[in-house]
Structures are given as structure tokens and as C-alpha cells.
Amino acid sequence: QSPSASRKASASGLDIVKKTFNQQGVQGFWTGYSSEAIRQWTYGCARIGLHRVFSGKLAEAQGAPLELHQLVGCAALSGILAVPLQIPFDKIKIRQIKDTWHSGNSRYKNVFHGLSSLRACPEFGHDFRKVLPAAMVRTVVGNVAGIGTYDVLKQNVGPKLELSKTTSTLLFSVVASCCNTLCMAPLDSLRNRIIASPNRYTSITVAVVKIIREEGPLGFYRGASVTASANWIHNFTILNVCEIAGSMIDKASRNSK
């Protein structure tokens, strides 16, 4: 694909929304939903749950709140460990969306058919290694910018503000979600391109060089309106759900004693 063809084929987030709705209707926005749902149940739970375990155990062991570098370290480590669970589902989801976009039909009947097909595909291991660095950087940055920022605000700013727990949770999750969104937009572009076109973008370095050379720095933010909106909503929702669920579990544990 030539640079001119690549630019011509590129579309803004609004173009994608319009084309998806015109060709597939409202249900088109849920293409690949099964892959995304199971992805969040595995990778999503791992990256957030492991961070809570690591930070909680470390704070308990030292008997004091965590320092900034400790919170960042816990967020980064949990992100690294969760990444291998992310890639297969991202591969299936992006292929489902790409196939439906171009031909109207996906090569996978569902996420389980996709997993079975990937397991039998000799190229998947090679493709996995190609996208792993980009996925690793993306998730580490996302965890630090999203969960890490929230914990820092909750621990260091929360006690200084005369706000209810609900208000402070909403406020801090808004700020953390904005940090997450700003940091992850270019990294999402890198990862998605490598997954969708592994023969064209053979590594994270090649992808960076080609995007800058053919599209300029703004190429990293092509379609960012869609991914940024999704990341903001996802991060905001999951921070609040985790906080509410944690409070309910703590309350139930206290009442049972």
C-alpha cells in the first residue's frame, strides 16, 4: 500500500461512525463485542486486580501508605503481567471489525471460533511477538496514567478536601480518566495498526517511522476521537465500579465479624 493510498484509506472517527451506521445500523457498533467482553473479564480483571493486590500487600507489609514510585511500580508491573491475556482477544476483535468493515462478514463466527483459529495458525506466534512491545507500552502507560493517578489523588489529595467519598471518587476518576485518555491515544493507534496490518507494520519501531514519514505526528491521533472516548468511558466506569465493589466487600467483611 503506497503512502497516498494509505492516506486516502484513512478515515476520521466521525467518518467511521457514519459508515458503520449507514452500512450496518446500530448493531454495527457491537461488532466484536464478545471478544471485548471476554477480554475485559481476563485482561481487564488481571491488570486492575493485580494492582490492587500488589499495592494492598505492599502497604500492609510496610505499615504505611505507598510512595509515588511504589504506586507507579505496582501499576506498571500489573500491566506487564496482564498483557499476554490481551493480545489474542484484540487480534480477534480487530479482525472482526476489519472484516465487517471491508466485506460485511467476519472470518470468525464468534470469539471461541477465533481462539481456535488462532491456535491453529502458525503465524500467530510471530504476530504475537510483533505486537507485544506496543501492547506492553500501551498497558503500562494506561495503568500508570489511569489507576496510578487515581490512587495518588485518593491518597494524597483526598484527605485535604472536605468532600464526601462519592464526590471525591467521581472527581478523581474524571481526572485519572483524562490522563489515561491523553496518554493512550497514540499508543492505541500503534497497537491497532500492528494487529490489523502485521505485514506492513512489522514492529513498533517500523510503525512509528512509517506513521511519521507518511502521515506526520498527527497520524498517531488519526481516529483518536473514537478510541479516546472509549478509553475515557471505560476507565471512568471501571474505577467507580471497583471502588463501589470494594466498599461493599469491606462492609460485608466488617459485618460478618
Side-chain angles (χ1 to χ4, degrees):
Q1 187 180 29
S2 67
S4 59
S6 177
R7 285 191 292 269
K8 185 177 180 181
S10 298
S12 69
L14 183 58
D15 291 333
I16 294 172
V17 170
K18 288 180 177 178
K19 185 174 179 179
T20 299
F21 182 78
N22 291 335
Q23 290 188 348
Q24 305 165 44
V26 176
Q27 67 269 23
F29 297 108
W30 274 264
T31 300
Y33 176 78
S34 61
S35 302
E36 179 64 21
I38 297 180
R39 172 185 182 270
Q40 292 304 334
W41 273 103
T42 53
Y43 154 76
C45 288
R47 74 178 183 88
I48 297 165
L50 287 174
H51 172 71
R52 292 299 179 217
V53 170
F54 293 157
S55 58
K57 293 293 184 182
L58 184 57
E60 182 180 344
Q62 67 183 25
L66 299 186
E67 300 290 337
L68 175 62
H69 70 279
Q70 293 174 316
L71 286 171
V72 170
C74 289
L77 178 59
S78 60
I80 289 171
L81 294 176
V83 165
L85 297 173
Q86 172 200 90
I87 296 175
F89 297 108
D90 275 339
K91 186 80 170 177
I92 296 167
K93 179 186 68 175
I94 290 175
R95 281 183 171 179
Q96 287 176 315
I97 295 172
K98 183 180 178 182
D99 290 350
T100 305
W101 176 269
H102 289 294
S103 64
N105 295 301
S106 172
R107 73 193 77 179
Y108 304 131
K109 298 176 183 177
N110 52 54
V111 62
F112 302 107
H113 178 223
L115 289 172
S116 177
S117 299
L118 289 182
R119 187 178 62 178
C121 178
E123 293 84 14
F124 176 66
H126 183 57
D127 289 349
F128 183 96
R129 290 187 293 273
K130 281 183 183 179
V131 76
L132 183 61
M136 195 81 73
V137 172
R138 173 193 177 275
T139 300
V140 168
V141 170
N143 254 25
V144 172
I147 304 172
T149 298
Y150 176 82
D151 282 358
V152 170
L153 293 172
K154 178 182 176 181
Q155 178 178 293
N156 299 320
V157 180
K160 301 176 184 178
L161 300 178
E162 295 182 359
L163 299 173
S164 67
K165 184 175 181 179
T166 300
T167 302
S168 61
T169 297
L170 290 171
L171 175 62
F172 298 154
S173 59
V174 166
V175 176
S177 297
C178 290
C179 292
N180 175 275
T181 299
L182 290 172
C183 292
M184 287 182 68
L187 300 175
D188 269 327
S189 178
L190 276 175
R191 182 205 57 171
N192 291 346
R193 290 182 191 228
I194 295 172
I195 291 176
S197 304
N199 294 328
R200 175 169 171 74
Y201 303 106
T202 55
S203 69
I204 186 173
T205 305
V206 170
V208 169
V209 171
K210 283 191 175 182
I211 293 170
I212 292 176
R213 181 185 299 161
E214 298 173 4
E215 305 172 42
L218 290 180
F220 292 105
Y221 293 89
R222 192 176 299 280
S225 59
V226 176
T227 56
S229 299
N231 283 332
W232 195 96
I233 293 170
H234 169 74
N235 197 74
F236 178 82
T237 301
I238 206 153
L239 285 173
N240 281 277
V241 168
C242 286
E243 194 70 23
I244 293 170
S247 297
M248 292 175 65
I249 292 173
D250 290 342
K251 184 177 180 179
S253 178
R254 289 193 299 268
N255 291 339
S256 66
K257 292 181 180 179

